[in-house]
């Protein structure tokens, strides 16, 4: 599942819980983790409301690739329900054995007809998709359920309310073939809230903000801690072809700089060009911690007027933030070949490739 065994080791990091440490020196661009999701579910509310969906695309319910508009006849529907559609025989048959099992198909169909779920906010309907996916995991792969439960995340009152509602609804409509309690449901929802990764619609320079297509849980990737100036970043190849034998829904974590042995390997949980106040707010609201990294320490006391506009970390941001319009992804070198570092950097949002020389020149021209 993961490539981390030789490059990374898990340790307790003071003040942060568990985290990944470089087990040996790691070169810039190296892949340190490649992992498939144990849970992957659509971010679209189950029951459509009157307002139009923010997404203009429709996609396969297994691999989440956008359907080719020129080939509508190639789209396959689930034989048991009209809602789940697949881009190939392979996706359909694999989904029937996993994420769209007959129990999932029946549970989602019954939930769609539930008037009490219709009265709930769209977020609850997305949570319903997660709970169905998690119960399905409990039925099909108890060891993956244990991996999910081993992640950080403690239920609070909102999660407990959602768990009570969804557990009771699903148990009455379509009970899973295994005993799953309200308490377990609350635990699962709390893990999902803290650890799920968003899979986004493709980049477009002139399009609206990208919508979230799906949420995925990757237990090993969830153990990366956050840094506001990260030394690694996440890649995904949802629409394209993932490198090597990876699947398009796999997560790939690649280093953006050389990392000495013993150093913690961190990713940023969001775009790195956000300002201090925004980062502080997101980290507290969504992840429940206050970041004490070097960048935050400096920016907490930085003022544009007092500092003559000389923004701290300007060099890092110019070098590693993609400058394409509507992008701001993170740039990381391609993996080294035969221990030779690559001078081509790839953006983890828009996929743009450019030589590092060009980015150095762009930086020099700016200064
Ligand atoms: C996705 S988990 C990362 C793995 C986690 N450390 C663990 O032990 O499972 C996110 C949580 O890790 C902790 N964390 C991550 N980055 C941190 C940082 N820069 N400072 C403090 N805590 C951090 C916070 O508790 C956060 O809610």
């Amino acid at each position: 599942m993961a490539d981390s065994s030789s490059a990374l080791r898990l340790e307790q990091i003071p003040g942060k819980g568990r985290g990944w440490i470089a087990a040996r020196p790691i070169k810039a661009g190296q892949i340190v983790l490649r992992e498939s999701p144990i849970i992957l579910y659509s971010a679209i509310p189950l029951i459509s409301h009157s307002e139009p969906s923010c997404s203009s695309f429709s996609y396969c319910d297994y691999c989440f690739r956008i359907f080719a508009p020129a080939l509508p006849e190639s789209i396959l529907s689930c034989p048991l329900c009209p809602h789940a559609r697949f881009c190939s025989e392979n996706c359909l048959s694999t989904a029937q054995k996993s994420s769209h099992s007959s129990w999932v198909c029946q549970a989602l169909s019954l939930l769609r007809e539930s008037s009490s779920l219709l009265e709930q906010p769209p977020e609850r309907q997305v949570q319903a998709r997660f709970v169905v996916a998690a119960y399905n995991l409990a039925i099909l792969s108890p060891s993956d359920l244990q991996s999910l439960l081993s992640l950080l995340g403690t239920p609070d009152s909102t999660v407990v309310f959602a768990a009570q509602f969804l557990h009771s609804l699903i148990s009455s409509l379509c009970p899973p073939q295994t005993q799953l309690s309200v308490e377990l449901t609350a635990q699962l929802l709390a893990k999902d809230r803290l650890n799920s990764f968003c899979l986004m619609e493709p980049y477009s320079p002139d399009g609206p903000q990208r919508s979230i297509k799906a949420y995925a849980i990757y237990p090993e990737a969830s153990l990366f801690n956050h840094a506001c100036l990260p030394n690694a970043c996440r890649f995904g190849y949802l629409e394209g072809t993932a490198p090597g034998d990876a699947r398009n829904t796999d997560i790939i974590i690649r280093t953006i700089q050389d990392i000495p042995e013993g150093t913690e390997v961190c990713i940023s949980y969001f775009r790195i060009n956000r300002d201090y106040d925004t980062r502080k707010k997101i980290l507290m609201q969504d992840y429940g911690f206050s970041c004490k990294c070097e960048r935050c320490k400096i920016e907490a006391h930085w003022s544009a007027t007092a500092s003559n506009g000389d923004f701290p970390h300007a060099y890092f941001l110019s070098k590693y933030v993609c400058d394409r319009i509507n992008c701001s992804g993170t740039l990381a070198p391609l993996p080294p070949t035969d221990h030779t570092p690559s001078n081509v950097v790839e953006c983890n949002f828009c996929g743009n490739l450019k030589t590092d020389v060009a980015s150095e020149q762009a930086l020099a021209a700016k200064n």
Side-chain angles (χ1 to χ4, degrees):
M1 167 160 114
D3 271 359
S4 59
S5 46
S6 55
L8 303 176
R9 65 169 182 264
L10 201 58
E11 279 190 12
Q12 285 293 327
I13 317 279
K16 297 186 189 173
R18 297 165 293 181
W20 289 116
I21 301 286
R24 54 176 168 73
I26 305 175
K27 289 280 172 215
Q30 196 166 316
I31 293 172
V32 291
L33 180 79
R34 185 187 314 230
E35 189 180 18
S36 299
I38 57 167
I39 282 209
L40 176 59
Y41 63 99
S42 170
I44 298 176
L46 260 180
I47 309 169
S48 44
H49 284 254
S50 46
E51 75 262 26
S53 157
C54 44
S55 169
S56 47
F57 300 109
S58 56
Y59 23 82
C60 173
D61 271 282
Y62 180 71
C63 72
F64 286 91
R65 282 197 176 95
I66 292 171
F67 291 129
L71 299 169
E73 66 283 0
S74 65
I75 298 173
L76 301 169
S77 280
C78 166
L80 302 176
C81 79
H83 306 288
R85 298 187 309 149
F86 302 92
C87 65
S88 66
E89 282 286 353
N90 188 36
C91 282
L92 169 60
S93 65
T94 315
Q96 285 176 313
K97 288 179 243 144
S98 56
S99 58
H100 197 71
S101 65
S102 56
W103 179 77
V104 170
C105 180
Q106 197 185 4
L108 293 181
S109 295
L110 292 168
L111 284 168
R112 280 193 178 91
E113 289 158 18
S114 156
S115 51
S116 57
L117 187 59
L118 178 62
E119 286 162 11
Q120 293 287 314
E123 309 84 81
R124 187 82 66 242
Q125 300 182 24
V126 180
Q127 282 178 317
R129 283 191 187 271
F130 166 73
V131 174
V132 169
Y135 285 3
N136 188 46
L137 193 70
I139 299 166
L140 298 180
S141 180
S143 63
D144 281 339
L145 186 81
Q146 289 313 313
S147 301
L148 176 54
L149 288 170
S150 72
L151 300 177
L152 216 61
T154 314
D156 63 9
S157 56
T158 53
V159 159
V160 169
F161 173 80
Q164 285 164 342
F165 174 81
L166 292 169
H167 178 267
S168 148
L169 186 63
I170 295 169
S171 306
S172 65
L173 291 176
C174 191
Q177 305 100 323
T178 178
Q179 274 289 322
L180 300 162
S181 65
V182 183
E183 292 72 28
L184 179 81
T185 310
Q187 287 284 336
L188 292 167
L189 282 164
K191 310 298 177 189
D192 179 55
R193 190 171 62 181
L194 198 65
N195 296 286
S196 62
F197 285 81
C198 302
L199 303 189
M200 309 296 290
E201 288 188 339
Y203 162 81
S204 160
D206 46 18
Q209 281 283 73
R210 299 191 309 167
S211 298
I212 301 170
K213 275 179 158 187
Y215 296 102
I217 297 186
Y218 306 93
E220 297 206 20
S222 282
L223 298 174
F224 282 97
N225 287 318
H226 165 88
C228 294
L229 289 182
N231 51 15
C233 68
R234 159 200 176 189
F235 280 86
Y237 299 89
L238 203 53
E239 305 304 333
T241 308
D245 55 3
R247 287 200 252 143
N248 74 313
T249 50
D250 286 359
I251 194 168
I252 291 174
I253 306 286
R254 250 171 44 206
T255 54
I256 60 181
Q257 293 167 321
D258 290 349
I259 304 179
E261 181 178 346
T263 301
E264 187 181 3
V265 181
C266 291
I267 60 175
S268 173
Y269 291 171
F270 39 73
R271 288 202 313 270
I272 59 179
N273 65 342
R274 291 196 153 124
D275 64 33
Y276 172 72
D277 288 333
T278 310
R279 299 198 309 272
K280 190 173 159 189
K281 195 168 148 206
I282 299 176
L283 290 172
M284 187 45 77
Q285 272 178 2
D286 295 352
Y287 300 94
F289 72 92
S290 150
C291 187
K292 308 270 186 320
C293 75
E294 288 309 305
R295 179 176 174 194
C296 285
K297 278 186 209 156
I298 292 171
E299 289 180 22
H301 303 291
W302 184 79
S303 124
T305 36
S307 323
N308 253 346
D310 218 2
F311 187 71
H313 314 296
Y315 177 77
F316 184 96
L317 297 176
S318 308
K319 189 167 163 63
Y320 295 111
V321 176
C322 179
D323 56 7
R324 275 176 106 189
I325 200 153
N326 271 337
C327 183
S328 305
T330 304
L331 300 169
L334 291 179
T337 41
D338 297 331
H339 302 291
T340 311
S342 173
N343 67 347
V344 176
V345 289
E346 179 183 16
C347 173
N348 72 344
F349 271 34
C350 73
N352 194 34
L353 294 172
K354 64 179 185 179
T355 60
D356 203 18
V357 178
S359 72
E360 294 284 353
Q361 283 170 348
L363 181 65
K366 261 189 207 165
N367 295 333

